[in-house]
């Protein structure tokens, strides 16, 4: 497809288990973002990848959260030893590189993974 | 740090009326702004963007206004339709920053 694809769309797991969420960005988009959205709230930045540069991990809430990206393609967000407060929708977005004065480009979002921790 | 906030958390309008959703930002260095629409169970969908060298930009039935003097952004939706019912977010970014900062959202309900 042409859009950002996330899987699984829903994930229910027990407290203490590890989960891995996947994001397939739009082809050619060098920037990739992960956000967390709790019910009825706005988007909380988690991590940002841009090409081969070191990722900006400043939004990760704890060391239980980590993310990887292979080149400019798929990214995975891993949450270890899940807690009930990790329950949320995890959204991935990608954007194209832009050039010069148009270095900022809009983000295109997937529909998210709804994570529920029992 | 930066903050982006919305004046009204909920807005109800009659079908066919115009809607105005407002957003305030505090970082004077922000130079790029986006409005997103999020329907239930979906990810945010890009509506329109504006750069700081402009004060108005129009799309199909939507207009974004930027007032840099008072750090205010608004989204105007003309002839609002039931399909416009959603949560609307504004987001800001600086040219040198990686992060987009999102407001908490305004829930728009269109009454048929």
């Amino acid at each position: 497809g042409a859009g950002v694809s996330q899987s699984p769309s829903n994930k229910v797991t027990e407290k203490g288990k590890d989960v891995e969420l996947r994001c397939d960005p739009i082809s050619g988009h060098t920037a990739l973002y992960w956000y967390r959205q709790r019910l009825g709230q706005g988007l909380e930045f988690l991590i940002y990848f841009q090409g081969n540069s070191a990722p900006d991990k400043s939004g990760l809430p704890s060391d239980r959260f980590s993310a990887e990206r292979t080149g400019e393609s798929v990214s995975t967000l891993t949450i270890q030893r899940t807690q009930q407060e990790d329950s949320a929708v995890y959204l991935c977005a990608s954007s194209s590189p832009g050039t010069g004065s148009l270095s900022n480009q809009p983000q295109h979002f997937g529909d998210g993974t709804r994570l529920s921790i029992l | 740090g930066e903050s982006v906030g919305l004046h009204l958390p909920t807005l109800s309008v009659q079908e066919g009326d115009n809607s105005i959703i407002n957003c305030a930002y505090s970082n004077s260095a922000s130079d790029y702004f986006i409005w997103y629409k999020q329907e239930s169970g979906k990810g945010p969908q890009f509506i329109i963007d504006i750069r700081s060298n402009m004060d108005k930009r129009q799309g199909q039935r939507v207009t974004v206004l930027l007032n840099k003097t008072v750090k205010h952004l608004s989204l105007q939706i003309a002839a609002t339709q039931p399909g416009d019912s959603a949560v609307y977010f504004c987001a800001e970014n600086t040219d040198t920053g990686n992060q987009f900062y999102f407001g908490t959202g305004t829930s728009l309900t269109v009454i048929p």
Side-chain angles (χ1 to χ4, degrees):
Chain A
V4 175
S5 177
Q6 291 189 245
S7 62
S9 55
N10 288 281
K11 177 72 176 178
V12 181
T13 192
E14 293 179 346
K15 176 183 172 181
K17 300 285 188 182
D18 297 351
V19 296
E20 189 173 277
L21 313 179
R22 176 187 170 104
C23 173
D24 282 276
I26 293 172
S27 178
H29 280 194
T30 56
L32 187 146
Y33 301 76
W34 282 99
Y35 294 89
R36 178 169 67 182
Q37 186 176 32
R38 293 200 166 103
L39 186 63
Q41 298 189 19
L43 278 66
E44 177 187 358
F45 168 80
L46 297 177
I47 189 168
Y48 162 77
F49 295 90
Q50 174 62 276
N52 294 318
S53 302
D56 176 352
K57 303 179 181 180
S58 60
L60 294 178
S62 77
D63 59 7
R64 296 187 296 105
F65 288 72
S66 62
E68 294 185 351
R69 188 182 187 193
T70 306
E72 295 183 354
S73 60
V74 172
S75 175
T76 56
L77 176 69
T78 301
I79 308 173
Q80 295 178 310
R81 305 181 303 281
T82 52
Q83 303 293 314
Q84 288 186 332
E85 63 263 27
D86 299 334
S87 295
V89 175
Y90 289 83
L91 290 160
C92 175
S94 68
S95 64
S96 59
T99 55
S101 61
L102 302 179
S103 58
N104 308 79
Q105 294 293 317
Q107 300 173 30
H108 299 266
F109 284 83
D111 286 336
T113 293
R114 283 149 192 81
L115 177 63
S116 299
I117 309 300
L118 302 178
Chain B
E2 294 86 346
S3 69
V4 179
L6 297 176
H7 294 306
L8 295 172
T10 61
L11 178 65
S12 296
V13 298
Q14 289 291 138
E15 180 178 0
D17 287 352
N18 296 334
S19 302
I20 299 176
I21 301 172
N22 296 302
C23 181
Y25 64 96
S26 59
N27 185 359
S28 57
S30 293
D31 57 4
Y32 181 56
F33 305 87
I34 306 175
W35 280 102
Y36 287 95
K37 171 186 180 184
Q38 187 175 29
E39 295 174 286
S40 181
K42 302 271 189 176
Q45 176 187 3
F46 171 83
I47 301 174
I48 192 167
D49 59 358
I50 189 167
R51 299 183 190 276
S52 58
N53 60 351
M54 303 173 69
D55 53 20
K56 180 179 180 179
R57 192 167 187 219
Q58 289 185 291
Q60 186 177 12
R61 283 201 305 118
V62 295
T63 301
V64 55
L65 298 178
L66 175 62
N67 186 329
K68 294 180 287 292
T69 302
V70 295
K71 301 191 193 72
H72 185 268
L73 189 71
S74 69
L75 176 70
Q76 300 178 2
I77 304 173
T80 315
Q81 303 169 359
D84 295 327
S85 294
V87 176
Y88 290 80
F89 293 96
C90 62
E92 62 171 325
N93 180 242
T94 63
D95 184 49
T96 57
N98 298 331
Q99 295 187 30
F100 281 80
Y101 294 88
F102 286 78
T104 53
T106 291
S107 177
L108 174 66
T109 300
V110 180
I111 303 167

